[in-house]
Amino acid sequence: MKIENIKVTDPFWTKYRTIVKDKLIPYQWSVINDDKAITIEKENAGAYDAVKKSHAVENLKIAAGLAKGHFYGFWFQDSDVYKWLEAVAYTLRYAPDKRLEGIANNVIDIISQAQEPDGYLDTYIQIEAPEHKFTHVSLSHELYVMGHYIEAGVAYYQTTHYRKALDIAKKMGDCIDANFGPEDKKMHGYPGHPEIELALAKLADETGDVKYTRVAKYMIDQRGTRPNNFFEEQLKNVQAKKIEDPYYSDASQSDPEPSYFQNDVPVREMTSVEGHAVRMVYLLTGMAHVARQTGDESLFAASQRLWKDVTRRQMYITGGVGSSAPKGEAFTFDYDLPNDTAYAETCASCAMSFFAKQMRDTYQDADYGDVLERELYNGTISGMSLDGKHFFYVNPLEVDPKASKEDPMKSHVKVQRAAWFGCACCPPNLARLVASVDQYIYTVTEDAIYADQFIGNETTFDNGLTIEQTGNFPWSGNVQFAITAKKTVKTTVAIRIPAWSRDHYAVTVNGQPLAVELDQGYLRIKRNWSGTTQIAVTLDMSVQMVHADPRVKDDVGKTAIQRGPVVYTLEQADNGCQLQANTLPVTPAFTVTPDDQTFAVPIVKITTTALHTDAATPIGNLYGTPATTLTHKKQLTFIPYFAWANRTPGEMMVWVHQM
Amino acid sequence: MKIENIKVTDPFWTKYRTIVKDKLIPYQWSVINDDKAITIEKENAGAYDAVKKSHAVENLKIAAGLAKGHFYGFWFQDSDVYKWLEAVAYTLRYAPDKRLEGIANNVIDIISQAQEPDGYLDTYIQIEAPEHKFTHVSLSHELYVMGHYIEAGVAYYQTTHYRKALDIAKKMGDCIDANFGPEDKKMHGYPGHPEIELALAKLADETGDVKYTRVAKYMIDQRGTRPNNFFEEQLKNVQAKKIEDPYYSDASQSDPEPSYFQNDVPVREMTSVEGHAVRMVYLLTGMAHVARQTGDESLFAASQRLWKDVTRRQMYITGGVGSSAPKGEAFTFDYDLPNDTAYAETCASCAMSFFAKQMRDTYQDADYGDVLERELYNGTISGMSLDGKHFFYVNPLEVDPKASKEDPMKSHVKVQRAAWFGCACCPPNLARLVASVDQYIYTVTEDAIYADQFIGNETTFDNGLTIEQTGNFPWSGNVQFAITAKKTVKTTVAIRIPAWSRDHYAVTVNGQPLAVELDQGYLRIKRNWSGTTQIAVTLDMSVQMVHADPRVKDDVGKTAIQRGPVVYTLEQADNGCQLQANTLPVTPAFTVTPDDQTFAVPIVKITTTALHTDAATPIGNLYGTPATTLTHKKQLTFIPYFAWANRTPGEMMVWVHQM
């Protein structure tokens, strides 16, 4: 079974997709073209060095012989253009735009001219150091940027059928296949930053050519094996300063452990997620995809084991992963999830979404949809302001402006989103995720349609079924599915009941209550569909107080407020400062109020009464016995986590003390 | 009134003073002489670089022309010898030792030969860079090391009357007076690391020569004033690499703010403690001392304001100060007292003791004795193992060995004391404090004897009174004072009632209950003393649950256990791991048990029953609603904070969750 056509009608995501289409895409286009009209704000850019310029399109023009000059930017600057292009590919599906398509076609033409005859394309190497082609893929981002192009080219071809877009991608794939593999004449290598694996798997899906999967699998299989001559020799080249890596020298990890690159053990032997979070999760995404394509059970088992590890031991409640800045935007150790020094890069949450999709496409378990939902409504979109023009790289769960300013350990934790970054990986990553959110709604197998996400849509399937999903998720738990069959269709429609609703939910079919046991989190309705069938799902939208595993030190004695999939937070703009001095009672009374005034998007806010502990006097005693403590009742307002930092900067706190 | 003779008889401090005399002093002597028999353990030395050698005495010999070679070590290596000498001076008072005195005299002879004719002595400059004498006192430690000698020389002279010891100090003082001051021909400078100010004040006390106070006051007055030509020019010299500072280049603060040196505003305008904690508190110690010597009220007011600031806003419950490692062993901002990344250097707690004494000697308020007591029984002695041979530089309030190993932000937080440090400031600082603890027991004024600390002693005063203080403090709250007057003496004996006992205490005089109002925390007994009067004080030794000001984020929802002056802690050796998963009930029942088996010193341990939250399954859900939480009752054992890390390394936690 296949999806023939899908149209997102969802109010929540339509807002976001409109922001991406109308604001983010043009804004990014101006940035990567160094439009003089764009003013990049320097404030709050901090460690990420707000750029003076991007130069990303210019680099491609120089490589294409269309302009003269030097390369500028990070080694992976090309990927800014490719991720923009991929986002464009998705937006054109829901908002056709001939002018934009023309711009994109022109970019593809430049890319095509920049590409070398053998398919290679990396503007840094081509412009500045052609002799270093593929001599240091352990640290260079050559395979990373080509991977991003391949993703973009495939997506753009799928939307527009512009042949050249796919041809460039295929030539890149051919180039990589020609240079990497087990054969003696090829390099027995793999990149320091995984990405090419997942891209080649996508290219194989599109073209049906298994050689792309084969080389992707080769790189996955080879990674972490010993002897590790290729990788070590390449690393030595860089460390001997034969090659300068502007990114490498900028990284906080000046001498990374092999685990930073996921290169300490073969992937099938890995027992926990390690190292740079985005690298790790991109690798996992490729692993899951290749495992499905090849039917490699041990590879899927490794993906599944590491899925459990990351989601059960190293993921914030917002879906954020990678808790340590100084360790290199990296995973640390089990249950180490500090809220106020979190890294939780926007890219890492996007990567978790990609990983979840690949796991989901391989194996029927609502867990993948649950985690994906957590990412979609929390840790990904928190990376963008509601004006679509300001971005977070780091998504903390607790912020104190004083600490961000004065504590070097928290200097990466920003209180305001920045206008752009020197290392601009996050904004276009989020753009392509939001623009392609339709791809995450359904999973189809031979005999079933799985409704994974409650994102309103009208979708036709190639078996003649049409599903119209409506509702006001995530604010309302009432979701309707109108399923229409032109002729009688025998199939299963399975609806994910989210983990947060599994104790309380109701489903009716044409008004009649349906009572079926959930199967791996799905409610399966198997029948001969004819005419229009109305399925109404009512999810549990009560305010939930979530507690963390007690091994998560920073969350002990605290609760996080969640309603539906949305994690809530306290912000100073509503609640004043000293947020930590608020303590919720054991059974707080919550009031749920729709609010379309406060932010550029409608939200639902939650209010309750807490106990606020007053600081005694300006200079009282720092330590005393409890009798000296004064408390008063205080109303607290919780807003969705994703909406924080859209008002006056101040404190923010997800995990709140509870009696 | 004056103290004629004081002898410490206290069981607790006699143990510590015996360790210092019998173990620490000989051990340090071996270290600073590079005794081949000493093996410096490399483990756990971490950022402090366990030394290959000390070379401290050898540097002096080279400067004295008694040996040949190059300087080795930090710029302030000389101070290791001087602090050792100062500790020796104090131990000789309670444990006369002709052999040790001979060794010390020999060292003084070497120092005397190393001293230049003008009184200058800094072996680094003399051996390696004589042209840089006094050209970079903003960053060099020339005045710092001379300050430490002056302290040592004065102390040693007071004990032994070895004239040379004082003569060297006076010559140094003369040298500084000749080079620094308001006169045109002198340098209008002051050091980057305060210390000389407090030392010159001590020299003035001993010699009665006010010029030493005058130059100390000049440096204090000049600090932070603008234009700041002297300091800035000297800094520029170093930054232009004209002068290499091995300490400066090692410091995490590679380009320190003026506040790092307490050099941003004049001291009388400072509203909060700033910068490197030891520097700040040494400065304050000198300020308070000079204020008393000169009667400078505005200077004393500044000292008092900053005393309030540090003790009310920036001090851990253990007395530790300076909460940030990456900021440069520094103060951060009000109420920023993270437990698991604390710096709380042993030297800083020693410095707080010195500051408290100077404040106490100037002004009658029990607050100074309260804080001093907190330092003495907690944050200072925690810096030394109970074998006297292992030391902490950093004194955290919460430790997780996994985090210390894997989290770069916690790499300074050690789980075991190290055998020595490359930067060996802390061990000898603690040694001199412990060896001189008798100086902190009484403060005498014209008309009163203030008993500030409950440290058992026999003391004669020059008015004919003798006080014999006995007890088993800090384990017992029963303290006896036998006050004997040979002839009738009219005076006041004032006993500090500690803040932790002010709600519950009892005092009898010759068995008769005494009911008087406390005056600034003191119980004043003014009478004509004759014969022997027995005063019995009973302090509140109940187990107290202390809460922090709610502005201290990390302590919200937690309690610290304190009994008498001793802060308690949980350690993995008694309680297993996952200490954070223990929650105390609102009103726990505590059992108090003397224990002379567990450690090399007798302690009192405290047990109670808590609720332990179990982690559900090895891979359960990281986040869930409370109903999924399993708890069981668990007995917890608290030990004194100072005794932690004397057994198998593991977790430690002072602040414990409470319902």
Side-chain angles (χ1 to χ4, degrees), chain A residues 115 118-121 133-134 137 141-150 168-183 185-191 195-197 199-200 203 211-219:
Chain A
Q115 189 172 33
D118 69 349
Y120 182 88
L121 178 45
K133 182 172 163 179
F134 288 145
V137 295
H141 286 60
E142 292 159 282
L143 298 173
Y144 172 89
V145 296
M146 285 196 266
H148 271 299
Y149 178 81
I150 292 170
I168 299 168
K170 284 166 65 180
K171 275 178 73 179
M172 282 183 183
D174 296 345
C175 171
I176 292 159
D177 179 49
N179 281 284
F180 294 89
E183 298 85 350
K185 66 185 169 74
K186 295 185 182 176
M187 283 179 279
H188 305 155
Y190 46 94
E195 147 68 24
I196 190 66
E197 303 85 347
L200 288 168
L203 185 60
K211 76 173 170 210
Y212 302 126
T213 296
R214 198 180 54 216
V215 64
K217 183 167 180 299
Y218 173 74
M219 287 178 169

Side-chain angles (χ1 to χ4, degrees), chain A residues 48 342-346 392-396 412-414 421 426 644:
Chain A
Y48 312 114
Y343 204 76
E345 185 180 335
T346 304
F392 274 138
Y393 203 101
V394 167
N395 294 276
H412 64 289
V413 174
K414 305 299 175 197
F421 307 110
C426 294
W644 89 275

Side-chain angles (χ1 to χ4, degrees), chain B residues 556-577:
Chain B
V556 173
K558 299 177 187 171
T559 188
I561 302 304
Q562 189 174 331
R563 181 175 177 271
V566 177
V567 174
Y568 277 74
T569 192
L570 293 176
E571 218 184 8
Q572 187 174 331
D574 299 305
N575 304 293
C577 61

Side-chain angles (χ1 to χ4, degrees), chain A residues 315-320 344 349 374-375 378-380 395 397 567 641 654:
Chain A
M315 184 180 73
Y316 289 96
I317 191 172
T318 55
S349 275
R374 189 183 290 284
E375 300 291 352
N378 303 289
T380 55
N395 294 276
L397 281 81
V567 174
Y641 171 73
V654 171

Side-chain angles (χ1 to χ4, degrees), chain B residues 249-554:
Chain B
S249 60
D250 265 14
S252 20
Q253 279 291 67
S254 61
D255 189 15
E257 299 285 315
S259 62
Y260 174 80
F261 307 104
Q262 298 78 42
N263 190 32
D264 48 343
V265 291
V267 299
R268 288 173 185 76
E269 293 169 28
M270 291 184 77
T271 54
S272 65
V273 290
E274 300 284 348
H276 186 268
V278 175
R279 292 172 199 238
M280 181 77 236
V281 185
Y282 277 4
L283 174 62
L284 289 169
T285 306
M287 283 165 60
H289 198 159
V290 167
R292 185 174 70 255
Q293 289 178 327
T294 58
D296 186 321
E297 286 184 19
S298 66
L299 190 57
F300 185 69
S303 315
Q304 208 163 23
R305 184 170 65 246
L306 295 166
W307 167 268
K308 284 281 181 192
D309 183 62
V310 64
T311 60
R312 266 54 175 185
R313 295 182 186 135
Q314 303 211 46
M315 183 180 73
Y316 288 97
I317 191 173
T318 55
V321 299
S323 58
S324 173
K327 226 181 165 185
E329 312 177 333
F331 291 107
T332 54
F333 53 93
D334 291 353
Y335 310 105
D336 180 43
L337 295 163
N339 296 309
D340 57 353
T341 56
Y343 204 75
E345 185 180 333
T346 304
C347 275
S349 275
C350 292
M352 282 296 293
S353 307
F354 308 149
F355 181 29
K357 177 167 169 52
Q358 290 306 327
M359 292 301 287
R360 177 64 199 87
D361 282 348
T362 311
Y363 192 75
Q364 320 311 332
D365 190 326
D367 186 37
Y368 306 120
D370 286 345
V371 172
L372 178 59
E373 185 187 72
R374 189 183 289 285
E375 301 291 353
L376 289 179
Y377 291 96
N378 303 288
T380 55
I381 56 174
S382 60
M384 183 170 77
S385 64
L386 300 172
D387 67 5
K389 292 184 177 180
H390 294 82
F391 306 93
F392 274 137
Y393 202 101
V394 168
N395 294 277
L397 281 79
E398 185 175 322
V399 164
D400 177 353
K402 285 192 300 299
S404 293
K405 188 170 164 230
E406 301 206 29
D407 182 348
M409 291 188 300
K410 294 174 187 164
S411 59
H412 64 289
V413 175
K414 306 300 175 197
V415 296
Q416 279 181 288
R417 293 177 182 85
W420 200 251
F421 307 111
C423 173
C425 51
C426 294
N429 223 346
L430 180 58
R432 66 182 181 139
L433 175 66
V434 169
S436 65
V437 78
D438 51 280
Q439 298 178 23
Y440 297 83
I441 302 173
Y442 295 105
T443 308
V444 287
T445 63
E446 274 317 294
D447 55 2
I449 296 168
Y450 291 86
D452 284 318
Q453 300 300 326
F454 299 102
I455 297 174
N457 67 87
E458 294 168 20
T459 302
T460 53
F461 297 86
D462 68 352
N463 63 355
L465 273 195
T466 302
I467 299 183
E468 187 183 354
Q469 191 187 145
T470 53
N472 186 27
F473 200 77
W475 312 123
S476 161
N478 299 321
V479 184
Q480 296 80 40
F481 294 82
I483 302 177
T484 304
K486 286 181 194 156
K487 54 180 177 62
T488 299
V489 175
K490 184 178 177 184
T491 193
T492 297
V493 171
I495 299 169
R496 180 180 63 92
I497 302 299
W500 47 264
S501 188
R502 248 163 246 162
D503 292 340
H504 303 284
Y505 66 92
V507 180
T508 63
V509 178
N510 290 331
Q512 297 303 308
L514 181 77
V516 286
E517 289 277 300
L518 296 186
D519 177 11
Q520 290 185 286
Y522 285 99
L523 183 107
R524 291 172 175 276
I525 309 172
K526 185 175 182 178
R527 57 165 63 197
N528 292 316
W529 305 87
S530 65
T532 295
T533 309
Q534 296 288 352
I535 301 177
V537 177
T538 306
L539 300 171
D540 177 13
M541 296 305 280
S542 61
V543 177
Q544 297 189 348
M545 291 182 290
V546 179
H547 289 220
D549 185 295
R551 288 170 288 195
V552 182
K553 267 194 186 181
D554 289 47

Side-chain angles (χ1 to χ4, degrees), chain A residues 320-360:
Chain A
V321 298
S323 59
S324 172
K327 227 186 165 183
E329 312 178 335
F331 290 108
T332 54
F333 53 93
D334 292 352
Y335 309 105
D336 180 42
L337 295 163
N339 295 309
D340 57 354
T341 56
Y343 204 76
E345 185 180 335
T346 304
C347 275
S349 275
C350 292
M352 282 295 294
S353 307
F354 308 148
F355 181 29
K357 178 167 167 52
Q358 290 306 327
M359 293 301 287
R360 178 63 199 88

Side-chain angles (χ1 to χ4, degrees), chain A residues 376-607:
Chain A
L376 289 178
Y377 292 96
N378 303 289
T380 55
I381 56 175
S382 60
M384 183 169 78
S385 64
L386 300 172
D387 67 5
K389 291 184 178 179
H390 294 82
F391 306 93
F392 274 138
Y393 203 101
V394 167
N395 294 276
L397 281 81
E398 186 175 321
V399 164
D400 176 352
K402 283 192 302 295
S404 293
K405 189 170 163 232
E406 300 207 29
D407 183 348
M409 292 188 300
K410 293 174 187 163
S411 58
H412 64 289
V413 174
K414 305 299 175 197
V415 296
Q416 278 181 290
R417 292 177 182 84
W420 200 253
F421 307 110
C423 173
C425 51
C426 294
N429 224 347
L430 180 58
R432 64 182 183 141
L433 174 68
V434 170
S436 66
V437 78
D438 50 280
Q439 298 178 23
Y440 297 83
I441 302 173
Y442 294 107
T443 308
V444 288
T445 64
E446 274 317 293
D447 56 2
I449 297 168
Y450 291 86
D452 284 317
Q453 298 301 325
F454 299 102
I455 297 173
N457 67 87
E458 294 167 20
T459 302
T460 54
F461 298 86
D462 66 352
N463 63 356
L465 274 195
T466 303
I467 299 182
E468 188 183 352
Q469 191 187 145
T470 52
N472 187 27
F473 199 78
W475 312 124
S476 161
N478 300 321
V479 184
Q480 295 81 39
F481 295 82
I483 302 177
T484 304
K486 286 180 193 157
K487 55 182 175 61
T488 299
V489 174
K490 184 179 177 182
T491 194
T492 297
V493 172
I495 299 169
R496 181 179 63 90
I497 302 299
W500 47 263
S501 189
R502 248 162 245 164
D503 293 340
H504 302 283
Y505 66 93
V507 181
T508 63
V509 178
N510 290 331
Q512 299 303 308
L514 181 76
V516 285
E517 289 277 301
L518 296 185
D519 176 11
Q520 291 186 285
Y522 285 99
L523 183 106
R524 291 171 174 277
I525 308 173
K526 185 175 183 179
R527 58 165 60 196
N528 293 315
W529 305 87
S530 65
T532 295
T533 309
Q534 297 286 353
I535 302 176
V537 177
T538 307
L539 300 171
D540 176 13
M541 297 305 280
S542 62
V543 177
Q544 298 189 348
M545 290 182 291
V546 179
H547 289 219
D549 184 297
R551 288 170 290 195
V552 183
K553 266 193 187 181
D554 288 47
D555 299 343
V556 173
K558 299 177 186 172
T559 189
I561 301 304
Q562 189 173 331
R563 180 174 177 271
V566 177
V567 174
Y568 277 73
T569 193
L570 294 176
E571 217 184 8
Q572 186 174 334
D574 298 305
N575 304 291
C577 61
Q578 305 292 344
L579 293 178
Q580 81 287 347
N582 297 301
T583 303
L584 290 175
V586 177
T587 51
F590 293 107
T591 305
V592 171
T593 317
D595 173 2
D596 57 8
Q597 300 298 314
T598 307
F599 298 106
V601 297
I603 60 150
V604 165
K605 67 183 179 190
I606 298 173
T607 51

